[in-house]
Amino acid sequence: MRVLLALLLPVLGLAQQCTIGQGSNGTCANHIAVIIDSSSYLGTSDRADQLAQFINTYLSQYDLTAGQTLITMGFYGMGDPSVSWSPIFLFFGQSDISMICNDWQTLFAAEQSNNMGMCTIATALASLYNTTRDEDWNYDQIVWLTASNDTTDIQTASAMLPAFPNTNFTVVSIGGGDFSSWTGARVLCQNLPFPMGFESKIAAQACRSASGNNQCNHAGTTAMPTTPRPTGTAPTPTSQCPCDITKSWNDVMVVYDGSNVLTDVKFQTMVVLLQSIISRLPISQAIGQNSRVGVISYAKNVRLIANLTKYNSPVDAIMDDWTRDNVEQTNIKAAIDLARDTFNNPKQHRQNARKVIILAASTYREGTDMPLSSASTFKDNGGVIIVIGYGDLKGEASQVLRQIASTGYFIDATSKQPDFNQMNSLFCKANCFCPTPYSPVSSAATGEPTEGCQYVSKIRKLKLDPITKVFIRFNGNVFLDRRR
């Protein structure tokens, strides 16, 4: 995914005065990238507004008229497709004050839309790397403002820092996230609204002579705002499979549409959503409760980008080159068949892991073999198919895609980005199953057992024919319930 996402959006009304670049200060950094978290981690539109306002304050301290400092501004995580179908918007303003102000106005208006979606730091950092690996776009300093406190995501992202060997990272942790894994980064912990003069504190981190420091972790931080729970005594249902996607151990084949139906920005957004999801999985080839992930791209032809034994970590997966053929036709059947062949290979698929296909597709086009039979065979043999339907050229969801999906596993993405939490939930549901030869005591509509698993066997003893049921708790404990 080595695509430059420099997006020139229409300039909205200058309702807020921009003073960027009109200060008197210089900086130790020749090129500064300011990356702003616009995801749901911010919590409210008011906090997003405060953050956008601060960017103007922060960049207003510099004098950009001499052309000695280059500014790149970017933001990620917007959930409104009319504003952002792309994972990370980069505005290469350089030293052009009017251009940077126009970009900031776009950012400010987008923040006010209050449609914050989900994009992990790891995915955003991978996207930044893919757009800036050329020497022309090296950064002296990257200022990363984020409200995320997702430890798994932060640690995954830290593994990518060596890809920026000459860059000084300054992290402003708004949500109190633990960035101790970001070795060498300068970490400032400050909740919104930022105090007066905080921009100078960030600017002081630009000099390469400054030593790495961490003023955030394990210190007193202000918690993210939460919605109060409603009062009452309604019971909270318990789950046989508590949802923790970071501990799932499915075998997953990601199958995505590489045809020309999706626009470039929608295609990039689709890839980033998929990579954001799998960046949270415990991907490893080690023995134990880990996930394996493979990738298939399809259009007229089908390409195996990664089999189930290629990736050793989430970073391996999201840093891989997920390209497309960008031609007509969508041979979904061939893609599902290739995924089935991969699962049928004992050197690829682990028998104790659930087989899961994530199909991200635009539509099913006539002229290729109907995929329903292949999909049904896969599902009948214990597999789960999660389908994200992006719609055809008319923006309509395909009925064929709905039939391909396992019951309850279809997500309509024709007019908006899929809900990240919903995807996490579906992964958890897929990971909740009874291994052979056990069967569920009872099942939810989406197939997961709701009361544990049982093994029913007939044991001949005298003239009685008792049924022995072995119930397996999902924490690994086993107990027997013998009934006559």
Side-chain angles (χ1 to χ4, degrees):
M1 191 178 62
R2 305 170 72 171
V3 180
L4 183 62
L5 302 176
L7 201 61
L8 300 179
L9 295 181
V11 178
L12 303 176
L14 301 182
Q16 301 292 325
Q17 182 180 4
C18 175
T19 57
I20 290 174
Q22 300 176 26
S24 58
N25 295 339
T27 175
C28 304
N30 294 322
H31 193 171
I32 300 174
V34 184
I35 310 299
I36 304 108
D37 183 347
S38 302
S39 74
S40 57
Y41 282 119
L42 279 172
T44 66
S45 58
D46 288 341
R47 288 163 61 84
D49 179 82
Q50 292 172 21
L51 186 55
Q53 293 276 25
F54 174 77
I55 298 304
N56 182 50
T57 302
Y58 165 60
L59 293 178
S60 294
Q61 64 185 315
Y62 296 123
D63 178 9
L64 302 183
T65 57
Q68 296 179 351
T69 301
L70 307 180
I71 299 293
T72 293
M73 186 164 55
F75 63 102
Y76 65 94
M78 290 302 301
D80 184 351
S82 67
V83 176
S84 109
W85 264 109
S86 180
I88 182 168
F89 283 67
L90 295 180
F91 300 107
F92 295 99
Q94 307 298 341
S95 299
D96 188 328
I97 295 177
S98 62
M99 181 181 293
I100 297 173
C101 278
N102 287 344
D103 295 339
W104 176 79
Q105 293 290 342
T106 300
L107 166 63
F108 183 81
E111 293 277 24
Q112 288 184 313
S113 67
N114 195 23
N115 272 313
M116 292 170 285
M118 176 56 69
C119 178
T120 62
I121 295 176
T123 305
L125 190 58
S127 179
L128 179 65
Y129 172 77
N130 285 331
T131 63
T132 59
R133 62 178 64 182
D134 295 334
E135 292 183 0
D136 291 342
W137 302 112
N138 279 342
Y139 302 116
D140 294 311
Q141 183 187 28
I142 295 178
V143 179
W144 201 287
L145 299 101
T146 176
S148 174
N149 50 19
D150 184 334
T151 302
T152 299
D153 175 31
I154 293 170
Q155 291 178 346
T156 299
S158 71
M160 285 182 244
L161 298 187
F164 299 85
N166 299 314
T167 301
N168 168 6
F169 273 91
T170 298
V171 178
V172 179
S173 178
I174 302 169
D178 184 358
F179 283 84
S180 58
S181 58
W182 285 43
T183 304
R186 293 140 178 86
V187 185
L188 304 175
C189 186
Q190 183 63 59
N191 203 356
L192 289 166
F194 293 155
M196 184 177 296
F198 188 64
E199 65 277 5
S200 298
K201 196 170 186 178
I202 297 177
Q205 307 296 315
C207 298
R208 291 184 177 276
S209 59
S211 60
N213 59 73
N214 190 329
Q215 301 179 18
C216 178
N217 305 321
H218 310 300
T221 60
T222 304
M224 289 284 289
T226 58
T227 303
R229 292 183 179 272
T231 58
T233 58
T236 302
T238 58
S239 172
Q240 294 285 348
C241 301
C243 185
D244 188 349
I245 191 175
T246 65
K247 297 180 181 179
S248 62
W249 60 93
N250 299 315
D251 280 353
V252 182
M253 289 300 299
V254 178
V255 180
Y256 69 84
D257 189 335
S259 72
N260 61 3
V261 174
L262 296 178
T263 63
D264 287 341
V265 288
K266 281 194 175 183
F267 173 77
Q268 293 296 338
T269 299
M270 176 182 71
V271 170
V272 166
L273 171 72
L274 296 171
Q275 291 184 337
S276 290
I277 293 167
I278 66 176
S279 71
R280 296 176 55 80
L281 298 177
I283 299 175
S284 174
Q285 300 299 321
I287 298 174
Q289 295 181 351
N290 301 301
S291 291
R292 289 183 178 181
V293 173
V295 182
I296 293 172
S297 173
Y298 72 90
K300 179 180 179 180
N301 299 313
V302 178
R303 290 188 298 113
L304 180 65
I305 294 177
N307 60 27
L308 289 171
T309 57
K310 179 178 181 180
Y311 301 139
N312 291 290
S313 70
V315 173
D316 289 346
I318 65 178
M319 294 293 279
D320 204 358
D321 195 10
W322 294 23
T323 55
R324 64 171 174 170
D325 293 339
N326 201 26
V327 298
E328 292 187 357
Q329 295 189 18
T330 53
N331 197 344
I332 297 177
K333 181 182 184 303
I336 293 177
D337 287 342
L338 179 56
R340 288 173 53 199
D341 290 343
T342 304
F343 285 122
N344 290 335
N345 185 340
K347 294 182 179 180
Q348 295 288 317
H349 170 57
R350 301 163 298 172
Q351 293 303 311
N352 63 337
R354 191 70 175 273
K355 298 177 292 184
V356 179
I357 292 176
I358 304 177
L359 175 61
S362 59
T363 186
Y364 165 71
R365 289 182 176 180
E366 300 294 338
T368 56
D369 293 337
M370 179 64 79
L372 294 180
S373 177
S374 294
S376 296
T377 300
F378 178 75
K379 291 183 289 187
D380 290 344
N381 288 318
V384 172
I385 303 180
I386 303 172
V387 176
I388 308 172
Y390 281 90
D392 56 19
L393 294 173
K394 298 179 181 179
E396 298 174 352
S398 169
Q399 292 302 316
V400 173
L401 293 182
R402 294 180 184 274
Q403 296 176 60
I404 290 175
S406 298
T407 302
Y409 285 86
F410 179 80
I411 298 176
D412 190 345
T414 54
S415 60
K416 62 180 180 180
Q417 294 189 45
D419 184 277
F420 192 82
N421 292 326
Q422 181 185 12
M423 287 297 303
N424 280 352
S425 176
L426 292 182
F427 257 100
C428 290
K429 291 178 185 294
N431 196 212
C432 185
F433 67 101
C434 295
T436 305
Y438 302 99
S439 60
V441 178
S442 60
S443 299
T446 45
E448 67 274 14
T450 54
E451 298 179 78
C453 300
Q454 63 180 352
Y455 173 67
V456 182
S457 63
K458 292 185 178 181
I459 304 175
R460 304 295 300 182
K461 184 177 180 181
L462 300 177
K463 296 183 178 180
L464 299 177
D465 188 17
I467 301 296
T468 299
K469 293 186 177 181
V470 181
F471 290 84
I472 301 180
R473 295 188 186 277
F474 287 91
N475 61 6
N477 297 326
V478 179
F479 67 91
L480 302 181
D481 181 14
R482 292 187 172 87
R483 302 174 182 176
R484 294 181 183 272

